[in-house]
Each structure stands twice: as C-alpha cells, then as structure tokens.
Amino acid sequence: MARGAGLLRRAAPALIAYTSVRLAGLVLLFYWSHLKHHGLWPALATSWDSSWYLGIADHGYAHHLDNNNLAFFPLYPVLVKAVAAVTPGSRATVGVLLAMVCSLVAAAGIYAVGERLYGRRTGTVLAVLWGATPIALVQWMGYTESLFTALAAWSLYAVLTGRWVWAGLLAALAGLTRPTGVAVAAAVVVPALLALYRGNRSRRMVAGALIAPLGWLGYVAWVGVRVGRWDGYFAVQKLWKNQWDGGADTLREVRRQLIYQGHPQPFLLVVTACLALSAVLWLVCCVRDRQPLPLLVFTGMLLLVVLGSGGVYFPRARFLLPAFPLLLPFAVAIARARPRTLVLVLGGVALFSAYLGAYMTLVWTGPP
C-alpha cells in the first residue's frame, strides 16, 4: 500500500502535465466548435464507435451476423452500463467521463513504466508525449483506447516488477476490451515461456501466463456460441473487412496516399506518417535500444495486428494509440535536453495535437 501511494505521489507531476495538455486540446476544440456552431459534447460522447458501444450498453449484443456489433468487445460497454446504473446522467456522459478517468490511470501506468526503466523525468515526459500524440483527443472520447491503454500499461508494469498474477489478470481484462488485447496477453505469455525455458518454475508466473489470454479467448469463443458457428468472431470481422492479409492492404493504401493521390486528405497523411513512423521506431529504435522483452512483444504484436490487417484505413493511427513504448526513444532524448528545450518541444507537440484533434473532429468527415 505504501509503495503504491509513493508511486502515485511521484506520478503527480506527470498527471498534472498530462491533464494540462488534454485540457488545452479540449479548450481549442470548444472554441472551434463554437465558431462552427457545433455541439462539443455530442462529438465526444455519441459519434461513430461511441454510438456502437452505447447501443451495446442499451440493448446488448445481436444474435445474428447481420447486426455486426459483435465486433466490439464487451468490457467498456459493461462498465458504462454498470456505472450509469448507480450515478446520475446519461450513459453517453458516463462513457466520456469513464474514458477521462481511465486516461489518467493510463498516464500513471505509462509514467510507472518510464520511471522504472529510465527515471522520473523520462516517465513524466513519456506520459506527456502520450497525451500529445496526433490523435490523443480520442483519449477523452467515448472510445475504448484509454481503458485499454490503462490495462496494458499496468499489465506491462506488473510483468516488469514480477507481479505475474496481476499481469495476467490485467491482460485478461485487456482481452475483453479490444481485439488487440492479444498483444497484451502475448507480452505476458512470451516472457513467461522464456523464463520457463531457462528453468524458472514460479507458480505465480505460470498462473499469470495461463490467465492472460483468457479474456480474448473467452470473448471469441462466446461469439462463436452466440452465432452458432465456431468461427463466428472471425466471420464478424470479415463483415467489417478486417481480414489478415500480411499488410498488403496497408501497403497499397500507403502507396496510394503518398504517390497516386493528387490531393490527399491532410488527416490521412497524418495517419500514414504515424503508421510509417511506428514501424520504423520499433525496428530501428526499440529493438536497437533493447527495450525489455514485454514491451517489445507488446508493440510488435500490436503493429503486426494493426498493419497486417485489411479493412478501413483511417482509424489505424487510433489503433496504435496504446503503443506508448514506441515513444520511449523520444522521451529519453527529450528528458536529457535542457529545460528550455524540453518545454519548447513538449509545448509544440501539445499544440499540434490540440489542433489536429479539433481538425479531426470538425473538418475530417470520417471517424477518428
């Protein structure tokens, strides 16, 4: 208990800085929304995927493939329904507030990972950078990214500190939150298997490794039972055109955006830059810097799933939002800079994030 309280005290500056960055983005969005005579709250609470989650919270899941809300994992809508049952306000409001709270939990977990590996200054910078990514506005929308990142960050921290059962439980919950929960499970299972190979026979480690994939596997199996076919979940994903193709569709779209598109959408160029930079960072920086195996497995699996699947192109940057270990090389470099340089860099990326968040919501015509 005392150790956890001490970690939270050390994380306080990171949480304050993170909240300041996100509030700046919210203020700009509010001002821009006012100029365009748009409502701010509907954009945060009921747009695009948010409406799917709210529909699940209101009416549950479909029994047939023709209504493919089964593509959305259950933990977030279950939490929205449960919290809304005991608090005032609509489920849409609860969904946004829940995402905001989860974003703070995620920022604290990201800080904890950064602090353990490189110290308090790097942990703080890492949390701020996560809050200043180009599509960070999603962290305060009725989406699952904040909840998933919180579970992933604390699961990774638990692995790094040898708390295997906690790591497995959090990974199982992540597997009930998003399809990419398989990446969190792998970040627990792969290091455990390697430790077993080296002769470590810890019962807690084995238990954590066995628990980790249960959330993802359980939901996939439940969907199969729900629709009456063993591959039911994958059939649902096929309806969304999210089929594994080894990255062929991603490469085609990247080439189209960079070479053949005469007047590319600015938002799609940002998405393309995020995808390309993420792949390069993992290959060149994260592997070269020999990040701990759980972090490498997590980001590697996440990239494999996101870049290797076909389907809709424009949400890909959002799908990579939980991949905070990719920001570690930047965080380490910025943390070592002079205070003035640190403030200028973090302030610049925060302003860009605020602008792009407003642009994504009010100008871009598709989902984030």
Side-chain angles (χ1 to χ4, degrees), residues 176-245:
L176 289 171
T177 306
R178 290 194 60 79
T180 45
V182 67
V184 189
V188 179
V189 172
V190 172
L193 290 176
L194 183 60
L196 282 172
Y197 175 77
R198 292 174 175 172
N200 188 333
R201 297 292 187 268
S202 166
R203 292 182 179 179
R204 289 182 173 273
M205 181 187 66
V206 173
L210 291 174
I211 293 169
L214 292 182
W216 190 88
L217 292 173
Y219 182 68
V220 169
W222 180 83
V223 172
V225 173
R226 183 81 165 180
V227 300
R229 50 186 290 183
W230 69 271
D231 64 339
Y233 171 75
F234 302 100
V236 171
Q237 289 295 340
K238 187 176 181 180
L239 292 175
W240 286 85
K241 300 181 180 179
N242 289 332
Q243 295 176 279
W244 172 260
D245 63 4

Side-chain angles (χ1 to χ4, degrees), residues 19-352:
T19 304
S20 300
V21 169
R22 293 300 345 122
L23 283 175
L26 204 61
V27 168
L28 179 59
L29 177 61
F30 174 79
Y31 178 71
W32 199 340
S33 299
H34 176 71
L35 293 179
K36 293 178 70 69
H37 305 289
H38 284 283
L40 173 63
W41 201 247
L44 298 177
T46 60
S47 62
W48 302 106
D49 286 7
S50 301
S51 62
W52 285 93
Y53 289 115
L54 292 174
I56 294 168
D58 288 337
H59 309 294
Y61 283 103
H63 287 81
H64 307 287
L65 291 178
D66 55 351
N67 183 342
N68 48 13
N69 66 358
L70 289 161
F72 297 88
F73 278 53
L75 185 58
Y76 176 72
V78 166
L79 289 176
V80 169
K81 184 175 182 178
V83 174
V86 296
T87 58
S90 67
R91 286 176 177 170
T93 298
V94 168
V96 174
L97 295 179
L98 183 63
M100 290 179 173
V101 171
C102 288
S103 75
L104 293 174
V105 178
I110 291 169
Y111 166 85
V113 172
E115 181 203 47
R116 180 167 183 82
L117 296 178
Y118 297 104
R120 296 176 64 177
R121 190 180 177 98
T122 297
T124 300
V125 172
L126 182 62
V128 173
L129 284 177
W130 182 70
T133 53
I135 35 78
L137 177 65
V138 174
Q139 296 166 11
W140 282 15
M141 294 175 68
Y143 278 66
T144 58
E145 272 70 22
S146 290
L147 173 60
F148 181 78
T149 306
L151 294 168
W154 283 108
S155 180
L156 291 171
Y157 180 75
V159 174
L160 294 174
T161 55
R163 296 173 173 87
W164 289 98
V165 175
W166 274 110
L169 289 171
L170 292 168
L173 291 174
L176 289 171
T177 306
R178 290 194 60 79
T180 45
V182 67
V184 189
V188 179
V189 172
V190 172
L193 290 176
L194 183 60
L196 282 172
Y197 175 77
R198 292 174 175 172
N200 188 333
R201 297 292 187 268
S202 166
R203 292 182 179 179
R204 289 182 173 273
M205 181 187 66
V206 173
L210 291 174
I211 293 169
L214 292 182
W216 190 88
L217 292 173
Y219 182 68
V220 169
W222 180 83
V223 172
V225 173
R226 183 81 165 180
V227 300
R229 50 186 290 183
W230 69 271
D231 64 339
Y233 171 75
F234 302 100
V236 171
Q237 289 295 340
K238 187 176 181 180
L239 292 175
W240 286 85
K241 300 181 180 179
N242 289 332
Q243 295 176 279
W244 172 260
D245 63 4
D249 184 69
T250 303
L251 287 174
R252 280 195 298 270
E253 188 61 33
V254 168
R255 184 174 60 180
R256 189 172 78 88
Q257 292 297 325
L258 296 180
I259 299 175
Y260 299 111
Q261 188 73 283
H263 300 283
Q265 289 271 3
F267 181 72
L268 292 181
L269 287 179
V270 171
V271 170
T272 302
C274 287
L275 298 183
L277 183 60
S278 296
V280 170
L281 278 174
W282 190 81
L283 289 170
V284 175
C285 297
C286 298
V287 175
R288 183 201 63 189
D289 293 345
R290 297 183 179 181
Q291 286 186 4
L293 182 61
L295 272 61
L296 287 176
V297 171
F298 171 64
T299 50
M301 279 291 296
L302 200 60
L303 285 166
L304 195 65
V305 172
V306 173
L307 300 183
S309 300
V312 184
Y313 180 72
F314 40 78
R316 304 290 181 91
R318 171 167 61 86
F319 295 163
L320 289 177
L321 186 60
F324 68 90
L326 294 173
L327 300 172
L328 264 172
F330 293 118
V332 171
I334 295 170
R336 292 173 178 170
R338 296 178 179 178
R340 182 180 178 182
T341 302
L342 186 150
V343 170
L344 287 174
V345 172
L346 293 182
V349 295
L351 288 174
F352 177 71

